[in-house]
Amino acid sequence: MTARIEHLVTSGEFSLDGGTWQVDNNVWLVGDDHDVLVIDPAHDAEAIAAAVGDRRLVAIVCTHGHNDHINAAPELADRTGAPILLHPDDAVLWQQTHPERKPDADLADGLRLTVAGTDLTVLHTPGHSPGAVCLHAPELATVFSGDTLFSGGPGATGRSFSDFPTIIDSIRDRLLTLPPETTVRTGHGDTTTIAAEAPHLADWIARGH
């Protein structure tokens, strides 16, 4: 039985560089009736735990270290016993939100996570943040893009620890090379596809943001 994808939207605050914004976040669950993996535990550990239900939570995967993608991670881990996974290049961002606790394990480019018989491969895609990653699940024809790629363009790069040329390189080399029919499930907003976004790369570069 192939894993299925479930979607939860949670709301709260994103804070960085002295500013705070209200945001809606996409929380993704991948699994079956027995085992499940959570991608980006945002804002509401209780709601995410309710979505997990009585299934075994195999891992809590953070696509990057911005507070709105990790703020519910420790509570969810405490509730379930699941390990928190983050790329080490985002440790400085993690520590801004959770100085008293470290992630349990590192994400690395090429690492393969398996849930319900389905593989998700970690793609290191820096730019939005140094340790930003995406998760490619070919059997599900899906990439979970965090804040690297949205419907309409790259993630924001105007704040600390971000870089526009780097995110363009990541999108061009790691994401737009995926099969065109791949669904892009984003950290905020609407889902898109690789085919829908690929034609606009030159426009994004010309805009420079």
Side-chain angles (χ1 to χ4, degrees), residues 87-176:
H87 194 286
D89 288 357
D90 267 15
V92 63
L93 288 165
W94 172 275
Q95 290 163 6
Q96 290 179 4
T97 303
H98 301 302
E100 75 293 343
R101 179 170 182 162
K102 294 181 178 180
D104 299 296
D106 290 342
L107 295 173
D109 188 65
L111 178 69
R112 186 169 295 174
L113 306 174
T114 302
V115 61
T118 299
D119 290 337
L120 296 88
T121 300
V122 176
L123 308 176
H124 183 209
T125 52
H128 182 67
S129 68
V133 304
C134 300
L135 300 170
H136 182 216
E139 294 170 74
L140 303 176
T142 288
V143 62
F144 299 93
S145 65
D147 286 3
T148 295
L149 179 62
F150 292 112
S151 175
T157 54
R159 304 188 181 102
S160 295
F161 309 107
S162 65
D163 182 72
F164 179 75
T166 301
I167 202 171
I168 289 294
D169 288 346
S170 292
I171 292 170
R172 182 185 58 233
D173 298 341
R174 308 308 305 278
L175 298 184
L176 299 187

Side-chain angles (χ1 to χ4, degrees), residues 51-70:
V52 170
D54 60 2
R55 294 177 288 182
R56 182 176 73 99
L57 183 55
V58 299
I60 300 165
V61 182
C62 303
T63 62
H64 61 291
H66 286 153
N67 76 290
D68 58 319
H69 290 255
I70 65 170

